[in-house]
Amino acid sequence: MKLIKHFNSFLSEHVNLSETRLQSLDSRVNSVSSFLKNGENPISDRYIGVIPQGSYAHRTMIDPVGNYDEFDADVLLEMEENSEWSAKDYVEELYKVFHASGTYGHMVSRHAHCVKVDYANEFHIDVVPYLERHGSRYVTNRDDDVFELTNPEGFNEWLDERNRITSGRLVKVIRLFKYLRDYKNTFSAKSIILNILLGGRVNSVLLLGDPKRYCDLPTAFMNVLSDLNDYLQFNPTMPSVDDPSCPGQNFNHRWNEAQYQNFRSRISLYHSWAQAAFDEEDRTESIRLWRKIFGESFAETPASSVTKSSIVALSTPDFADTEQFLDRDYGIPELLDARFKVRITATVVKKHGFRNFNLRRHGNVVGRDRTIEFHVSDCTVPGAYEIYWKVRNTGPEAVAANCIRGQIERDNGSRFRSEPTKYLGKHYVECYVVQNGICVAKDHQVVVIK
């Protein structure tokens, strides 16, 4: 049985990184960024910006599961190249700047690619020097004193595209897999490897054959798990875990054959358990079977009928609910056709002291007081059609300002709109392609303002 509400509640209450922890992490990252930007030292002189990376950029971080688990954030410190420095000098110079600080001196340590800023018993931030040389992007390896070719911004974009194919459910599936890994402690796989293996099982061709393949969280989880199991069983030995954004590079150095074989065996077992739970028609028995995978916290009886989300809702002030919907307010049904695709490109406009950038390549994260230009960059719907836009704000600041927006507006023919980044929180922009009175394609662009 799908148990959609239980899946969503389990994700919200037990898996997702808590809002308090996320806000604390964002605040610390902003402080580190400000410290590196505003000093008088070789790092500040070459500072370009800080780019969220890894699980922090992909929104796949989860709450610590075990008593001794912690979470961390990877950020890229984008810098101008110093032609007089070797690769190891970037980490060394970054460490010197942190170590000389009264705030960070006792919190930092050097590693192969980064300087770690450790907030004891909370989390740590890995600050990774990142630069352009000879037209390509590199991180620096202090241990081997070499520049390593990479494309983390391209990886952000690759994963975001697959997340869009699943209507935003891939990142939720990844969180569930990470919870499964940390809860069971029966297999080992770095988050980057999980992202590649799971994201690689998603493609638009599968959606063409089955338009409901990712229609809700349990269905998406079951199908991605099934496709992953098929892939692993087809590969009796560890395949190349290729970096989808950087041809010729792979992550096999972060795994070994024994770990792969164990992972392959465990996924086969958990797939059989999940399939039984998904197919079970009796609700009580289905819950019991899902608990074999996720533990007793799945579908637990709440101590109170008031959930976290409802507590937040009860504590917010009155505001005008201005959100509109195509079907309810315009009489336009949504019957998406998997043959058609529309894509929004979001570009953060350059301002003094900051460069412009593609929002998706930065993990859909942007600071306050910037301007984002959205335009329809690709639409495969043939013939005549109309485009509609929705801009929706969320979070305490937007609510307090009585500005959640959400109205649907018809495009003026430019296929373009510009929006300021005013309120902290996770917001979104959607565009809808309407043909013959039916919405046949849409895209969803997340905008996280920190």
Side-chain angles (χ1 to χ4, degrees), residues 296-315:
E296 295 301 311
S297 295
F298 182 85
E300 66 181 353
T301 302
S304 167
S305 60
V306 181
T307 64
K308 287 182 187 177
S309 57
S310 61
I311 290 172
V312 172
L314 289 171
S315 64

Side-chain angles (χ1 to χ4, degrees), residues 118-130:
D118 193 0
Y119 297 86
N121 301 318
E122 290 187 76
F123 52 81
H124 64 265
I125 301 171
D126 292 338
V127 184
V128 182
Y130 173 62

Side-chain angles (χ1 to χ4, degrees), residues 61-74:
M61 301 176 76
I62 64 171
D63 251 356
V65 177
N67 292 331
Y68 299 101
D69 291 342
E70 64 175 27
F71 64 97
D72 63 274
D74 295 337

Side-chain angles (χ1 to χ4, degrees), residues 216-241:
D216 53 59
L217 181 55
T219 300
F221 176 81
M222 192 67 243
N223 281 323
V224 173
L225 175 58
S226 295
D227 292 337
L228 174 62
N229 184 56
D230 289 346
Y231 174 78
L232 297 176
Q233 301 317 308
F234 183 76
N235 288 277
T237 59
M238 183 169 63
S240 180
V241 186

Side-chain angles (χ1 to χ4, degrees), residues 65 178-185 291 293-296:
V65 177
K178 291 174 72 171
Y179 180 91
L180 176 65
R181 176 196 63 191
D182 296 351
Y183 171 71
K184 290 292 189 183
N185 281 316
R291 284 177 173 172
I293 300 172
F294 295 120
E296 295 301 311

Side-chain angles (χ1 to χ4, degrees), residues 100-294:
S101 163
T103 300
Y104 297 108
H106 66 290
M107 302 168 59
V108 294
S109 57
R110 285 165 290 191
H111 299 269
H113 298 92
C114 70
V115 172
K116 177 187 289 188
V117 185
D118 193 0
Y119 297 86
N121 301 318
E122 290 187 76
F123 52 81
H124 64 265
I125 301 171
D126 292 338
V127 184
V128 182
Y130 173 62
L131 61 147
E132 181 176 346
R133 348 177 35 240
H134 315 305
S136 297
R137 300 280 182 170
Y138 294 86
V139 294
T140 63
N141 186 321
R142 168 176 167 264
D143 291 349
D144 299 330
D145 196 16
V146 295
F147 295 97
E148 295 181 348
L149 185 67
T150 188
N151 186 12
E153 294 175 81
F155 190 92
N156 291 346
E157 190 172 20
W158 174 82
L159 193 65
D160 184 75
E161 176 60 28
R162 271 132 194 85
N163 191 46
R164 291 186 185 210
I165 292 172
T166 65
S167 298
R169 296 186 178 94
L170 174 60
V171 296
K172 298 177 181 179
V173 169
I174 291 173
R175 289 182 212 143
L176 289 173
F177 267 87
K178 291 174 72 171
Y179 180 91
L180 176 65
R181 176 196 63 191
D182 296 351
Y183 171 71
K184 290 292 189 183
N185 281 316
T186 56
F187 65 84
S188 175
K190 297 284 188 183
S191 294
I192 185 66
I193 291 175
L194 283 179
N195 288 351
I196 292 172
L197 291 177
L198 296 171
R201 310 284 70 79
V202 172
N203 64 69
S204 55
V205 175
L206 293 173
L207 195 61
L208 278 173
D210 179 9
K212 294 186 177 181
R213 191 168 192 81
Y214 312 112
C215 64
D216 53 59
L217 181 55
T219 300
F221 176 81
M222 192 67 243
N223 281 323
V224 173
L225 175 58
S226 295
D227 292 337
L228 174 62
N229 184 56
D230 289 346
Y231 174 78
L232 297 176
Q233 301 317 308
F234 183 76
N235 288 277
T237 59
M238 183 169 63
S240 180
V241 186
D242 296 332
D243 184 340
S245 63
C246 199
Q249 305 295 313
N250 65 52
F251 291 93
N252 288 61
H253 59 287
R254 300 196 184 185
W255 230 9
N256 61 45
E257 188 63 36
Q259 290 173 323
Y260 173 77
Q261 292 299 333
N262 179 63
F263 180 73
R264 182 171 180 262
S265 173
R266 289 295 174 177
I267 291 301
S268 177
L269 175 64
Y270 298 146
H271 171 257
S272 67
W273 290 0
Q275 193 67 67
F278 191 83
D279 293 341
E280 176 58 55
E281 296 182 359
D282 180 79
R283 183 181 187 83
T284 301
E285 179 63 9
S286 180
I287 290 175
R288 187 189 72 80
L289 293 171
W290 281 119
R291 284 177 173 172
K292 286 182 65 177
I293 300 172
F294 295 120

